[in-house]
Amino acid sequence: MRDEMNVEQGFSLCRLRTGEDLFGIETSTVCEMLRQCELYAVPLAPKFIAGVLAYRGDVLVAVSFRVLLGMEPGIEAPCAVVLRDGESGEKFALLVDDLLDVVQVSGSAWEPNPAMLDDRRSSLFSGAYRTAGAPLIRLAPEHMQPSWLMQNFEREMIGEHR
Amino acid sequence: MGVRPISDRGDVDDLTKEFLIESGEGLDCMERCLNDLQAGADNGVALAEIFRAVHTIKGTVGFLGFPRLERLAHAGEALLARLRDGKCSINGDTVDLLMQLTDRFRSVLELIESKGHEGRREADKDTELLEMLKQAATATPSSTRQTVGAVNGREKAVNTVETTVRVEVEVLNRLMNLVGELVQTRNQFLKAEVSEESFTRLGQRLDSVTANFRETVMQARMQPVGQLFQRFPRLAREVAATCGKSVRLEFIGGETGLDKSLLEMLKDPLAHAVRNAIDHGIEAPEIRFPRGKPVEGKIQLRAFHEGGQIVVEVKDDGAGIDDEKVVQRAVERGLITPDRGRAMGHADAMELLFEPGFSTNDEVTLISGRGVGLDVVRENVERVGGTVELESILGEGTTLRMRVPLTLAIVPAMIARCGEQMFAVPHSTLLEMVVVHTREKAAVIQSIGNARMFLLRDRLVPLLDLSEVLGIGCDQANGFYIAILEAKGRRFGLIVDDIADPQEIVVKPLSRALNGLTAYSGATILGDGQTALILDTTSLARSARLCDAREHAVEDVKGRVEAMSPHPGDAARVPMLVFANHRRERSVVPLACVERIEKVLPEAIETLAGRGVMQYLDELVELEDAGELLQKQRHEGESEARFVLICRKPIDHGVRVGLVVRDVLDIAEGEVLPAISLRHGKAARVNGRLAIFCAGFEALKEAA
């Protein structure tokens, strides 16, 4: 489906960093960007849920992008991208190491996911944009949603474990 | 049945739309549970969820006029009931069959949504599937019993909550004014210097505006209970038609305001209650007439304020509940012993009706009769901090009374710390707090096997350590607190590191992604900005197997006694309670069997059917007074209190008895000795001295 994207179309992406890699998430899907989040752990929660955080009078569940990538869970006061879970209609926070800026990218610079990319990353990434430096990996926000992760990510982790 | 098919009504009405949404959610849940079953999850909980989903569909389709769904649900439920009761086993084929049933339900629901009917083609008759379900239900019982803890699995997910609320313009105007005042106060704060005199005044004003603001928002959330009542006339009419009865609904106190979220949560329990009242309560016209009652039965739905709570009653003028029949059914089902049944009063008999899977209805009907109901009603109401009572007068009628708090949005709670984290415990379940200093720990906390008990005013209360339950760190170097909680009538202690001042907390729902975490009922943002998770004490108790009273009590006692039994070749020691019996001999019972040590005055003992009984926790406990100590004492006019050990016997279905003893001597670890030449049973050695086992408590194996 993503291969059919109009290559001429440009995109506005929020740039963020986790580990050594740069990622981009479509601006229109982002509700808010938060720095220095104060996170509260939820004992017994699935590993990808780093905890909850207070956000405008609500309590949001926070998904650790580092855990989704198979990295060690992150830094003490991470940054968060507030997104909306399309299935449940709830907002949630995606925790990343750093928030950078907003960039415009050209559709023609987009490349699909490489065929040898592992299954987990293939579902999280939606291709990448060629840049002068490191590629800007485009995220698939629909696969960062807690409702999707509950059904797919845990199973995948169990599968890997076996 | 007198119900017009939906196609004749032209389009899908609101009730049907609601049914489609709820059924869709029920099927999602069913599918999840089936997947869990395939993955080897706990059969009991998953089967109970599936059963409930199918039962809900069955209960609704009858009066909506969907016979195809009704047939499918009935056949599915028959199979699930047998699986639940362990009469046939669950395997891959059964799961596949239930998956097929789920798919068929979905396709019929889709047809109803798109076309307004259940399908009219020959292929829509489901003959093959119905036959397969029937065959599976009559399959040979498995040697492995798959007993299910009936329907007491957690019911959290499927509850469609309406997301809109009707607010009076006047309330909105008041809110707008308050926002204006708030902005004004903020502006003044921004300009003011901390040192200024006006700063205190501004603080007071902010406090007043905030309080007003909160009150007005709460008012906006309040909706008249009448909104909820209006859902039932049609349901009542259709159910009555199905049962061949004539029923009139009457509403009182419809204007009583109740928090919107509570209103939604009461919807299902009330629907259950109305259905039950019609199906079980109201008699058929041919029975009512000779009894001098109007042919048309009356069900009264009434709401009123009482003691800071809202009471909602469902009262019928039907046949009432026959205590004897209830007790007889409980004895037949092995829930209680015949002796205990004989000693039961009205209130105890009514309590039996809340047992999972309990039904006095001989016939399984399309409306009810499989024993799914009152336990779920109670669980739903308790989940929102309420209580349920049942009152019945034989021949005159039955009243189901639900008491719920005014609001769920703001509740008083105790704030506890465990490790680095804060947790909120709602006051509705909290009985008291006890501080335990490190030096007292050994004296008040005793271990029985891997279970810890706390000695609270001579009563042993099971203990849970929050840090262990949640797998988090703790800091108890200088002692800790025990929150004494009550869930589903069972008392237990929860160990936490420290407590902070109680607060009125604003309850925030947790993300649906965390629905599987039954330990929490929500979250809150504390005054200092920290987030605290709100503990669901009922679930904590259930996870520790503290809740499901009777059957589990038997298993618990047996399990604990077995766990305490030394292995062959192992001279392990087990905790025992040593007492002086009527012959002044040293006698013992395993401490695991002792619930409480009571001091009882002779006048508290009553005689029923020639046996001594006493009241304990709203229950009648039969006394075992071998030496007739109490009787002698009464004859001799002595008024001194006697010790009674409230115990559960490892034999005789774990029945609760009161052992009358001369004196309580010691609680210590002892060694079980082989029954050698003792004519009167086993003996034990405690602190170097011999003691005889009390009859009926010798289930411990001897040390080698």
Side-chain angles (χ1 to χ4, degrees), chain B residues 237-281:
Chain B
R237 196 169 58 244
E238 306 288 2
V239 174
T242 311
C243 303
K245 294 174 184 176
S246 176
V247 175
R248 172 168 54 95
L249 277 195
E250 198 177 278
F251 305 123
I252 298 175
E255 68 289 348
T256 314
L258 191 59
D259 190 287
K260 173 74 179 167
S261 48
L262 269 169
L263 213 57
E264 287 297 325
M265 284 168 140
L266 275 182
K267 191 176 71 178
D268 288 346
L270 267 178
H272 260 296
V274 170
R275 261 189 229 128
N276 266 349
I278 300 170
D279 197 24
H280 300 303

Short mmCIF file of all heavy atoms in Angstrom, two decimals, chain B residues 237-281:
data_model
loop_
_atom_site.label_atom_id
_atom_site.label_comp_id
_atom_site.label_asym_id
_atom_site.label_seq_id
_atom_site.Cartn_x
_atom_site.Cartn_y
_atom_site.Cartn_z
N ARG B 237 -41.80 -5.75 28.59
CA ARG B 237 -42.94 -6.20 27.79
C ARG B 237 -42.56 -7.44 26.99
O ARG B 237 -43.28 -8.43 26.97
CB ARG B 237 -43.37 -5.06 26.86
CG ARG B 237 -44.74 -5.24 26.27
CD ARG B 237 -45.23 -3.99 25.57
NE ARG B 237 -44.34 -3.53 24.52
CZ ARG B 237 -43.69 -2.37 24.52
NH1 ARG B 237 -43.84 -1.54 25.53
NH2 ARG B 237 -42.90 -2.02 23.53
N GLU B 238 -41.41 -7.38 26.36
CA GLU B 238 -41.00 -8.49 25.50
C GLU B 238 -40.68 -9.74 26.32
O GLU B 238 -41.04 -10.85 25.94
CB GLU B 238 -39.78 -8.09 24.66
CG GLU B 238 -39.97 -6.82 23.85
CD GLU B 238 -40.90 -6.99 22.67
OE1 GLU B 238 -41.45 -8.10 22.48
OE2 GLU B 238 -41.10 -6.01 21.94
N VAL B 239 -39.99 -9.54 27.46
CA VAL B 239 -39.66 -10.71 28.28
C VAL B 239 -40.95 -11.33 28.82
O VAL B 239 -41.11 -12.54 28.84
CB VAL B 239 -38.70 -10.32 29.44
CG1 VAL B 239 -38.48 -11.50 30.38
CG2 VAL B 239 -37.38 -9.84 28.91
N ALA B 240 -41.87 -10.46 29.24
CA ALA B 240 -43.14 -10.95 29.78
C ALA B 240 -43.89 -11.75 28.72
O ALA B 240 -44.45 -12.81 29.01
CB ALA B 240 -43.98 -9.78 30.28
N ALA B 241 -43.87 -11.23 27.48
CA ALA B 241 -44.56 -11.93 26.40
C ALA B 241 -43.94 -13.30 26.18
O ALA B 241 -44.64 -14.30 26.00
CB ALA B 241 -44.50 -11.10 25.12
N THR B 242 -42.62 -13.36 26.22
CA THR B 242 -41.93 -14.64 26.04
C THR B 242 -42.33 -15.63 27.13
O THR B 242 -42.46 -16.82 26.90
CB THR B 242 -40.39 -14.41 26.07
OG1 THR B 242 -40.09 -13.34 25.19
CG2 THR B 242 -39.63 -15.65 25.66
N CYS B 243 -42.46 -15.11 28.35
CA CYS B 243 -42.78 -16.00 29.49
C CYS B 243 -44.29 -16.23 29.63
O CYS B 243 -44.71 -16.93 30.55
CB CYS B 243 -42.27 -15.40 30.80
SG CYS B 243 -40.54 -15.07 30.83
N GLY B 244 -45.07 -15.59 28.80
CA GLY B 244 -46.52 -15.73 28.91
C GLY B 244 -47.08 -15.08 30.17
O GLY B 244 -47.99 -15.60 30.81
N LYS B 245 -46.51 -13.96 30.55
CA LYS B 245 -46.97 -13.26 31.76
C LYS B 245 -47.36 -11.84 31.42
O LYS B 245 -46.98 -11.31 30.37
CB LYS B 245 -45.84 -13.23 32.80
CG LYS B 245 -45.49 -14.62 33.32
CD LYS B 245 -44.27 -14.58 34.23
CE LYS B 245 -43.88 -15.99 34.64
NZ LYS B 245 -42.65 -16.01 35.44
N SER B 246 -48.09 -11.24 32.35
CA SER B 246 -48.50 -9.86 32.14
C SER B 246 -47.87 -9.01 33.24
O SER B 246 -48.05 -9.31 34.42
CB SER B 246 -50.03 -9.81 32.20
OG SER B 246 -50.45 -8.49 32.09
N VAL B 247 -47.12 -7.99 32.85
CA VAL B 247 -46.34 -7.22 33.83
C VAL B 247 -46.47 -5.72 33.58
O VAL B 247 -46.48 -5.28 32.43
CB VAL B 247 -44.84 -7.62 33.75
CG1 VAL B 247 -44.01 -6.75 34.66
CG2 VAL B 247 -44.65 -9.07 34.12
N ARG B 248 -46.56 -4.96 34.67
CA ARG B 248 -46.61 -3.50 34.57
C ARG B 248 -45.40 -2.95 35.33
O ARG B 248 -45.09 -3.39 36.43
CB ARG B 248 -47.90 -3.02 35.22
CG ARG B 248 -48.03 -1.51 35.38
CD ARG B 248 -49.45 -1.17 35.77
NE ARG B 248 -49.88 -1.90 36.96
CZ ARG B 248 -49.81 -1.42 38.21
NH1 ARG B 248 -49.33 -0.21 38.42
NH2 ARG B 248 -50.22 -2.13 39.23
N LEU B 249 -44.69 -1.99 34.68
CA LEU B 249 -43.54 -1.36 35.36
C LEU B 249 -43.99 -0.05 35.99
O LEU B 249 -44.77 0.69 35.40
CB LEU B 249 -42.43 -1.05 34.36
CG LEU B 249 -41.47 -2.16 33.97
CD1 LEU B 249 -40.27 -1.55 33.28
CD2 LEU B 249 -41.00 -2.97 35.15
N GLU B 250 -43.47 0.24 37.16
CA GLU B 250 -43.81 1.49 37.84
C GLU B 250 -42.51 2.16 38.25
O GLU B 250 -41.60 1.49 38.74
CB GLU B 250 -44.64 1.12 39.08
CG GLU B 250 -45.42 2.25 39.66
CD GLU B 250 -46.25 1.75 40.84
OE1 GLU B 250 -47.34 1.20 40.60
OE2 GLU B 250 -45.81 1.90 41.99
N PHE B 251 -42.41 3.47 38.02
CA PHE B 251 -41.16 4.17 38.36
C PHE B 251 -41.39 5.16 39.49
O PHE B 251 -42.36 5.93 39.46
CB PHE B 251 -40.64 4.95 37.15
CG PHE B 251 -40.46 4.08 35.93
CD1 PHE B 251 -41.09 4.38 34.74
CD2 PHE B 251 -39.65 2.96 35.98
CE1 PHE B 251 -40.94 3.58 33.62
CE2 PHE B 251 -39.48 2.15 34.88
CZ PHE B 251 -40.13 2.46 33.70
N ILE B 252 -40.48 5.18 40.43
CA ILE B 252 -40.54 6.17 41.50
C ILE B 252 -39.15 6.79 41.63
O ILE B 252 -38.14 6.07 41.62
CB ILE B 252 -40.95 5.52 42.85
CG1 ILE B 252 -42.36 4.93 42.71
CG2 ILE B 252 -40.89 6.52 43.99
CD1 ILE B 252 -42.84 4.17 43.92
N GLY B 253 -39.07 8.10 41.74
CA GLY B 253 -37.79 8.79 41.97
C GLY B 253 -36.93 8.88 40.73
O GLY B 253 -35.71 8.92 40.81
N GLY B 254 -37.58 8.91 39.56
CA GLY B 254 -36.83 8.99 38.30
C GLY B 254 -35.99 10.25 38.18
O GLY B 254 -35.03 10.30 37.43
N GLU B 255 -36.35 11.30 38.96
CA GLU B 255 -35.62 12.56 38.86
C GLU B 255 -34.31 12.54 39.68
O GLU B 255 -33.50 13.45 39.58
CB GLU B 255 -36.52 13.74 39.33
CG GLU B 255 -36.86 13.79 40.80
CD GLU B 255 -37.84 12.70 41.26
OE1 GLU B 255 -38.45 12.04 40.39
OE2 GLU B 255 -37.98 12.51 42.48
N THR B 256 -34.10 11.49 40.46
CA THR B 256 -32.89 11.40 41.28
C THR B 256 -31.65 11.45 40.39
O THR B 256 -31.55 10.69 39.43
CB THR B 256 -32.89 10.07 42.09
OG1 THR B 256 -34.17 9.91 42.67
CG2 THR B 256 -31.83 10.08 43.17
N GLY B 257 -30.71 12.33 40.72
CA GLY B 257 -29.52 12.50 39.87
C GLY B 257 -28.44 11.50 40.22
O GLY B 257 -28.20 11.19 41.38
N LEU B 258 -27.79 11.00 39.18
CA LEU B 258 -26.70 10.04 39.38
C LEU B 258 -25.64 10.33 38.32
O LEU B 258 -25.97 10.70 37.19
CB LEU B 258 -27.26 8.62 39.21
CG LEU B 258 -26.37 7.45 39.60
CD1 LEU B 258 -25.97 7.55 41.07
CD2 LEU B 258 -27.09 6.14 39.38
N ASP B 259 -24.39 10.15 38.71
CA ASP B 259 -23.29 10.39 37.79
C ASP B 259 -23.49 9.58 36.51
O ASP B 259 -23.84 8.41 36.55
CB ASP B 259 -21.98 9.99 38.47
CG ASP B 259 -20.77 10.42 37.70
OD1 ASP B 259 -20.49 9.83 36.64
OD2 ASP B 259 -20.12 11.37 38.14
N LYS B 260 -23.22 10.24 35.39
CA LYS B 260 -23.46 9.62 34.08
C LYS B 260 -22.78 8.25 33.94
O LYS B 260 -23.37 7.29 33.46
CB LYS B 260 -22.94 10.59 33.00
CG LYS B 260 -22.94 10.06 31.60
CD LYS B 260 -24.32 10.01 31.03
CE LYS B 260 -24.30 9.50 29.60
NZ LYS B 260 -25.64 9.17 29.16
N SER B 261 -21.51 8.18 34.39
CA SER B 261 -20.79 6.92 34.21
C SER B 261 -21.41 5.81 35.06
O SER B 261 -21.45 4.65 34.65
CB SER B 261 -19.31 7.09 34.56
OG SER B 261 -19.20 7.74 35.80
N LEU B 262 -21.91 6.19 36.25
CA LEU B 262 -22.56 5.19 37.11
C LEU B 262 -23.86 4.71 36.49
O LEU B 262 -24.21 3.53 36.57
CB LEU B 262 -22.87 5.81 38.47
CG LEU B 262 -21.77 5.65 39.51
CD1 LEU B 262 -22.06 6.52 40.69
CD2 LEU B 262 -21.69 4.21 39.94
N LEU B 263 -24.55 5.66 35.89
CA LEU B 263 -25.82 5.34 35.25
C LEU B 263 -25.61 4.25 34.19
O LEU B 263 -26.36 3.27 34.11
CB LEU B 263 -26.34 6.61 34.58
CG LEU B 263 -27.83 6.83 34.50
CD1 LEU B 263 -28.45 6.81 35.87
CD2 LEU B 263 -28.12 8.18 33.83
N GLU B 264 -24.54 4.41 33.42
CA GLU B 264 -24.23 3.43 32.37
C GLU B 264 -23.86 2.08 32.99
O GLU B 264 -24.23 1.03 32.48
CB GLU B 264 -23.08 3.93 31.50
CG GLU B 264 -23.46 5.05 30.56
CD GLU B 264 -24.51 4.60 29.55
OE1 GLU B 264 -24.48 3.44 29.11
OE2 GLU B 264 -25.38 5.42 29.20
N MET B 265 -23.14 2.15 34.09
CA MET B 265 -22.69 0.90 34.70
C MET B 265 -23.82 0.15 35.39
O MET B 265 -23.71 -1.05 35.63
CB MET B 265 -21.56 1.17 35.68
CG MET B 265 -20.27 1.44 34.94
SD MET B 265 -19.05 2.10 36.01
CE MET B 265 -17.61 1.25 35.43
N LEU B 266 -24.89 0.86 35.72
CA LEU B 266 -26.03 0.20 36.37
C LEU B 266 -26.96 -0.45 35.35
O LEU B 266 -27.85 -1.21 35.72
CB LEU B 266 -26.82 1.21 37.19
CG LEU B 266 -26.34 1.49 38.61
CD1 LEU B 266 -27.26 2.48 39.27
CD2 LEU B 266 -26.30 0.21 39.43
N LYS B 267 -26.75 -0.10 34.09
CA LYS B 267 -27.67 -0.55 33.05
C LYS B 267 -27.79 -2.08 33.01
O LYS B 267 -28.90 -2.61 33.09
CB LYS B 267 -27.16 -0.02 31.69
CG LYS B 267 -28.13 -0.18 30.57
CD LYS B 267 -27.57 0.44 29.30
CE LYS B 267 -26.43 -0.40 28.77
NZ LYS B 267 -25.85 0.10 27.53
N ASP B 268 -26.65 -2.78 32.94
CA ASP B 268 -26.70 -4.24 32.84
C ASP B 268 -27.24 -4.90 34.11
O ASP B 268 -28.10 -5.78 34.02
CB ASP B 268 -25.31 -4.80 32.48
CG ASP B 268 -24.96 -4.51 31.04
OD1 ASP B 268 -25.88 -4.14 30.29
OD2 ASP B 268 -23.79 -4.64 30.67
N PRO B 269 -26.75 -4.50 35.30
CA PRO B 269 -27.31 -5.12 36.52
C PRO B 269 -28.83 -4.92 36.62
O PRO B 269 -29.54 -5.85 36.99
CB PRO B 269 -26.61 -4.38 37.66
CG PRO B 269 -25.34 -3.89 37.08
CD PRO B 269 -25.62 -3.63 35.63
N LEU B 270 -29.32 -3.74 36.24
CA LEU B 270 -30.76 -3.50 36.32
C LEU B 270 -31.52 -4.36 35.31
O LEU B 270 -32.59 -4.89 35.62
CB LEU B 270 -31.06 -2.02 36.06
CG LEU B 270 -31.15 -1.14 37.31
CD1 LEU B 270 -31.42 0.30 36.92
CD2 LEU B 270 -32.24 -1.62 38.25
N ALA B 271 -30.95 -4.50 34.12
CA ALA B 271 -31.61 -5.32 33.10
C ALA B 271 -31.71 -6.77 33.60
O ALA B 271 -32.74 -7.43 33.45
CB ALA B 271 -30.84 -5.27 31.79
N HIS B 272 -30.61 -7.26 34.22
CA HIS B 272 -30.61 -8.61 34.80
C HIS B 272 -31.73 -8.73 35.82
O HIS B 272 -32.46 -9.72 35.86
CB HIS B 272 -29.28 -8.86 35.53
CG HIS B 272 -28.32 -9.66 34.73
ND1 HIS B 272 -28.55 -10.95 34.36
CD2 HIS B 272 -27.10 -9.36 34.24
CE1 HIS B 272 -27.52 -11.40 33.67
NE2 HIS B 272 -26.62 -10.45 33.58
N ALA B 273 -31.81 -7.70 36.68
CA ALA B 273 -32.77 -7.75 37.79
C ALA B 273 -34.21 -7.76 37.25
O ALA B 273 -35.04 -8.52 37.74
CB ALA B 273 -32.55 -6.56 38.71
N VAL B 274 -34.47 -6.94 36.23
CA VAL B 274 -35.83 -6.89 35.67
C VAL B 274 -36.17 -8.23 35.01
O VAL B 274 -37.25 -8.79 35.22
CB VAL B 274 -35.97 -5.72 34.67
CG1 VAL B 274 -37.28 -5.78 33.91
CG2 VAL B 274 -35.85 -4.39 35.40
N ARG B 275 -35.23 -8.77 34.25
CA ARG B 275 -35.46 -10.07 33.60
C ARG B 275 -35.74 -11.15 34.64
O ARG B 275 -36.66 -11.94 34.52
CB ARG B 275 -34.21 -10.47 32.80
CG ARG B 275 -34.36 -10.17 31.35
CD ARG B 275 -33.21 -10.80 30.59
NE ARG B 275 -32.66 -9.79 29.72
CZ ARG B 275 -31.39 -9.45 29.65
NH1 ARG B 275 -30.51 -10.03 30.39
NH2 ARG B 275 -31.00 -8.53 28.81
N ASN B 276 -34.89 -11.16 35.69
CA ASN B 276 -35.07 -12.16 36.76
C ASN B 276 -36.44 -12.02 37.41
O ASN B 276 -37.10 -13.02 37.69
CB ASN B 276 -34.02 -11.96 37.85
CG ASN B 276 -32.81 -12.83 37.61
OD1 ASN B 276 -32.84 -13.71 36.76
ND2 ASN B 276 -31.76 -12.57 38.35
N ALA B 277 -36.84 -10.76 37.67
CA ALA B 277 -38.10 -10.53 38.36
C ALA B 277 -39.26 -11.08 37.53
O ALA B 277 -40.18 -11.68 38.08
CB ALA B 277 -38.29 -9.04 38.61
N ILE B 278 -39.18 -10.91 36.23
CA ILE B 278 -40.28 -11.39 35.38
C ILE B 278 -40.23 -12.91 35.25
O ILE B 278 -41.23 -13.60 35.43
CB ILE B 278 -40.23 -10.73 33.99
CG1 ILE B 278 -40.34 -9.21 34.13
CG2 ILE B 278 -41.35 -11.27 33.09
CD1 ILE B 278 -40.07 -8.44 32.87
N ASP B 279 -39.03 -13.43 34.97
CA ASP B 279 -38.92 -14.86 34.71
C ASP B 279 -39.11 -15.69 35.98
O ASP B 279 -39.80 -16.71 35.96
CB ASP B 279 -37.54 -15.14 34.09
CG ASP B 279 -37.49 -16.50 33.42
OD1 ASP B 279 -38.56 -17.01 33.05
OD2 ASP B 279 -36.39 -17.06 33.29
N HIS B 280 -38.49 -15.27 37.08
CA HIS B 280 -38.55 -16.07 38.32
C HIS B 280 -39.56 -15.54 39.33
O HIS B 280 -40.08 -16.30 40.12
CB HIS B 280 -37.18 -16.10 39.01
CG HIS B 280 -36.09 -16.68 38.18
ND1 HIS B 280 -36.15 -17.93 37.66
CD2 HIS B 280 -34.91 -16.16 37.78
CE1 HIS B 280 -35.05 -18.16 36.97
NE2 HIS B 280 -34.28 -17.10 37.03
N GLY B 281 -39.73 -14.23 39.35
CA GLY B 281 -40.52 -13.63 40.43
C GLY B 281 -42.02 -13.65 40.18
O GLY B 281 -42.78 -14.33 40.89
#
